[in-house]
Amino acid sequence: MTSALVATALTAMSFVASAATLRVGNQGDALAMDPHSLNESLQLSIVGNVFEPLVTRGRDYKLTPALATDWKQTSPTVWRFNLRKGVQFHDGTPFTADDVIFSYERAKGEGSDMKSYVGQIKEIKKIDDHSVDFVLNAPFPILPDLFTQWMMMSKKWCETNQATKPVDRRKGIENAASFRANGTGPYRLRERQPGVRSTFSRSGNYWGKIDGNVDEVIYTPIGNDATRVAALLSGEIDVMEPVPVQDVERLKSNAKLKVLQGPELRVIFLGMDQKRDELLFSNVKGKNPFKDKRVRQAFYQAIDIEGIKKTVMRGASTPVALLLPPQVNGFMPELGKRLSFDVDAAKKLMVEAGYPAGFEVKMNCPNDRYVNDGEICQAVAANLSKIGVKINLEAETKGTYFPKILSRNTSFYMLGWTASTVDVHNVLYPIMSSPGEGGRGQFNLGAYSNAKVDELTQKIGSETDLKKRNEMIHEALKIHQDEVGHLPLHQQALNWGVKKTVDMVQWPDNGMPWKYVKVSP
């Protein structure tokens, strides 16, 4: 046997000897294997191990090449991306420029939840099989940052499997991409049992380096907090997230476990239908109380956010006054002070608005998506009862919750948002702008609208002068804050329970890249 063959054999034996299974327990599951179907952090974290974007984030969360090797602006509105050669999808099909163009059309089309990530693009011009030009509607200097969540799909596979349009849970539309996956990523889907278990295995034809030694991932949704903790303590799973805030210290004190912690980029907030002339779910007829700023402000000032931090979150939250945390580029500390918690002031506002006795309204809330989400909504309901507002709380699993609120079938709702680009534009454009074309305001589910905020958001996307950009950011955030466009609650903390034999990376967007995981015996 030649020395080269011996080396190869030893490497293979070394991998087999060190190959490991990672067992993950999470409170929720991906609603589909389709990377364009739901813009939700958990979903994108799971499928992001199977599919890949042109630009990704490395171990340190900094931008790094993925399916594109490099990129540059050739003019203010044109970006040239050179694609990685020799990449194959899991079925062996080569990755080319045609797949990029197809993925663009699919992500901007009907049923897609990823429109805001491609909304700046006017068209894509194919230069050759491994280079494309993105022609933009206007200059957009942070385009590579925006691409980190837009994943590439195989044109051939989607056409063969009748999956050219995204899965759309809002309309009950399923297709092959609900249960199957064909990406270019380090792991491939082996078995899918929605809500029960999904198994992934290391891809044998992955183009890149896998730093870890995990060759199999068994992902199990465990909705009940106590059951999830028990599974970690008994050794049934290797990592769990989130750790219930009341169990953090208990797990830290266990000699076999550790708790990975850090501030999450996500902000939890409440939204209100400000568009309809009459709310869908309220006893107020003939008008919409949420169109009145005084009502929105009364709700804000009636919420005891410090009480929620202490009793519901056990200190594992940071109250916020904006829809972005301090870690996101564009955060304005001078706007960081919340309106005071003042029940008397809130009551006075309700009287001024014409609701001295309050009113009834249904509140939609998930109970298995964010940390203590159901309990937060219960606390908010109790707070609002003190100003005469009767909340009819409808808390449910995210599998039915998201299709409902994303179709805007709601009057009052909870949402969490992570600025995945780590830039304020990724909050202004999808959350605070008026709903429109190209994914603008796609997650502004209450349809808050201010023409000046829309104008500033467009300019902020194109402005390269930092001083001018920050001035416009300040103005846009101040307008939204003064109008009480949404009700900001808090920035939640990341808490993952992990065996001490497991070394892994915790991204601030709550992403869990399996290719960096190392499991020791």
Side-chain angles (χ1 to χ4, degrees):
M1 185 180 287
T2 66
S3 58
L5 287 173
V6 169
T8 302
L10 287 173
T11 300
M13 289 170 62
S14 173
F15 170 73
V16 171
S18 62
T21 294
L22 180 71
R23 298 165 299 172
V24 179
N26 196 294
Q27 69 176 355
D29 195 6
L31 298 188
M33 290 291 102
D34 189 331
H36 301 155
S37 65
L38 183 65
N39 184 15
E40 183 226 4
S41 298
L42 176 59
Q43 170 113 355
L44 296 175
S45 175
I46 295 171
V47 301
N49 291 290
V50 178
F51 295 90
E52 294 178 296
L54 298 178
V55 185
T56 190
R57 295 192 178 276
R59 180 186 286 270
D60 56 3
Y61 204 64
K62 293 180 180 178
L63 285 188
T64 189
L67 294 180
T69 55
D70 57 273
W71 49 88
K72 65 178 180 180
Q73 282 184 271
T74 57
S75 79
T77 58
V78 179
W79 286 74
R80 171 74 53 87
F81 276 69
N82 292 313
L83 308 180
R84 194 174 297 278
K85 297 178 181 178
V87 175
Q88 294 182 343
F89 287 95
H90 295 154
D91 65 357
T93 304
F95 164 70
T96 69
D98 293 333
D99 300 303
V100 176
I101 296 170
F102 170 78
S103 296
Y104 163 64
E105 296 293 341
R106 194 177 189 275
K108 77 169 186 175
E110 184 181 353
S112 169
D113 218 27
M114 307 303 289
K115 293 176 182 177
S116 62
Y117 291 96
V118 296
Q120 310 299 327
I121 303 169
K122 181 179 180 180
E123 64 175 325
I124 304 179
K125 292 183 178 179
K126 177 181 176 180
I127 307 305
D128 55 42
D129 278 350
H130 293 97
S131 57
V132 293
D133 278 352
F134 289 95
V135 182
L136 309 184
N137 295 308
F140 194 74
I142 59 169
L143 187 73
D145 300 78
L146 200 63
F147 280 178
T148 57
Q149 299 288 7
W150 169 45
M151 300 178 204
M152 300 296 110
M153 296 188 75
S154 165
K155 180 176 186 287
K156 178 183 176 183
W157 186 90
C158 288
E159 290 175 346
T160 301
N161 290 279
Q162 290 78 51
T164 54
K165 291 184 178 181
V167 171
D168 190 350
R169 292 292 296 270
R170 289 180 286 274
K171 297 181 179 178
I173 297 173
E174 304 272 14
N175 59 41
S178 300
F179 313 104
R180 294 157 58 196
N182 181 41
T184 61
Y187 290 87
R188 61 174 68 205
L189 177 65
R190 194 168 76 214
E191 182 185 15
R192 170 75 171 155
Q193 299 179 54
V196 179
R197 180 180 294 106
S198 295
T199 306
F200 304 82
S201 56
R202 182 188 285 240
S203 174
N205 63 346
Y206 183 54
W207 59 268
K209 180 184 178 184
I210 299 177
D211 291 340
N213 66 341
V214 172
D215 66 333
E216 178 185 60
V217 179
I218 300 173
Y219 182 95
T220 306
I222 308 174
N224 182 274
D225 285 349
T227 305
R228 199 165 62 252
V229 171
L232 183 66
L233 289 169
S234 67
E236 293 176 47
I237 58 176
D238 305 305
V239 55
M240 62 164 285
E241 84 92 7
V243 176
V245 291
Q246 65 271 18
D247 290 306
V248 170
E249 295 307 316
R250 176 187 173 197
L251 296 188
K252 279 184 175 180
S253 66
N254 189 298
K256 295 182 179 180
L257 303 175
K258 57 186 174 182
V259 179
L260 300 185
Q261 296 179 290
E264 188 175 3
L265 296 177
R266 186 188 319 279
V267 164
I268 306 297
F269 62 90
L270 304 177
M272 303 143 290
D273 179 354
Q274 298 171 52
K275 183 176 182 180
R276 291 182 175 90
D277 292 328
E278 180 180 297
L279 294 175
L280 290 177
F281 307 105
S282 172
N283 67 341
V284 179
K285 302 304 175 185
K287 58 180 177 178
N288 178 349
F290 289 139
K291 285 192 174 186
D292 192 323
K293 176 199 165 183
R294 292 170 297 187
V295 173
R296 301 195 299 270
Q297 184 171 331
F299 272 49
Y300 188 136
Q301 293 198 261
I303 296 173
D304 181 7
I305 196 64
E306 289 294 338
I308 290 174
K309 175 181 178 178
K310 181 180 178 181
T311 60
V312 179
M313 299 301 290
R314 307 281 183 104
S317 65
T318 304
V320 294
L322 297 170
L323 299 188
L324 64 154
Q327 293 83 358
V328 170
N329 179 44
F331 177 81
M332 296 288 158
E334 61 270 29
L335 300 178
K337 185 178 181 181
R338 287 179 58 87
L339 289 173
S340 62
F341 166 54
D342 190 330
V343 175
D344 289 337
K347 287 179 178 178
K348 184 179 179 182
L349 286 165
M350 291 290 283
V351 171
E352 291 175 2
Y355 303 97
F359 57 86
E360 287 186 32
V361 64
K362 182 164 81 172
M363 180 180 189
N364 295 104
C365 187
N367 58 18
D368 60 359
R369 177 59 194 101
Y370 311 115
V371 177
N372 290 348
D373 40 18
E375 293 88 343
I376 293 168
C377 290
Q378 289 172 8
V380 167
N383 289 163
L384 294 176
S385 70
K386 295 178 181 178
I387 61 169
V389 174
K390 181 184 177 183
I391 293 294
N392 299 313
L393 181 59
E394 186 172 275
E396 60 192 311
T397 177
K398 71 169 194 167
T400 52
Y401 178 74
F402 280 123
K404 182 180 298 178
I405 66 162
L406 291 176
S407 61
R408 302 176 190 270
N409 188 28
T410 182
S411 297
F412 186 37
Y413 62 92
M414 169 186 276
L415 195 65
W417 189 257
T418 299
S420 58
T421 63
V422 202
D423 187 87
V424 66
H425 188 272
N426 192 227
V427 181
L428 287 166
Y429 187 81
I431 296 289
M432 294 162 59
S433 296
S434 305
E437 296 297 317
R440 190 185 74 182
Q442 188 173 8
F443 300 95
N444 178 6
L445 307 179
Y448 162 81
S449 182
N450 182 289
K452 186 62 176 178
V453 172
D454 295 342
E455 176 191 341
L456 288 166
T457 298
Q458 184 175 355
K459 290 180 178 178
I460 288 164
S462 302
E463 184 58 63
T464 55
D465 184 298
L466 187 59
K467 184 174 183 295
K468 290 181 180 178
R469 189 175 196 260
N470 283 337
E471 288 172 353
M472 290 189 289
I473 290 169
H474 186 281
E475 185 178 358
L477 294 179
K478 183 73 163 57
I479 291 171
H480 178 267
Q481 188 176 65
D482 288 347
E483 292 187 336
V484 195
H486 294 80
L487 309 183
L489 295 179
H490 59 237
Q491 176 186 12
Q492 67 182 30
L494 288 173
N495 288 301
W496 297 359
V498 185
K499 283 185 177 179
K500 284 189 175 176
T501 54
V502 176
D503 180 67
M504 64 193 313
V505 171
Q506 182 184 63
W507 278 344
D509 66 354
N510 209 17
M512 188 183 292
W514 302 332
K515 70 178 182 179
Y516 297 127
V517 179
K518 293 181 180 178
V519 180
S520 303

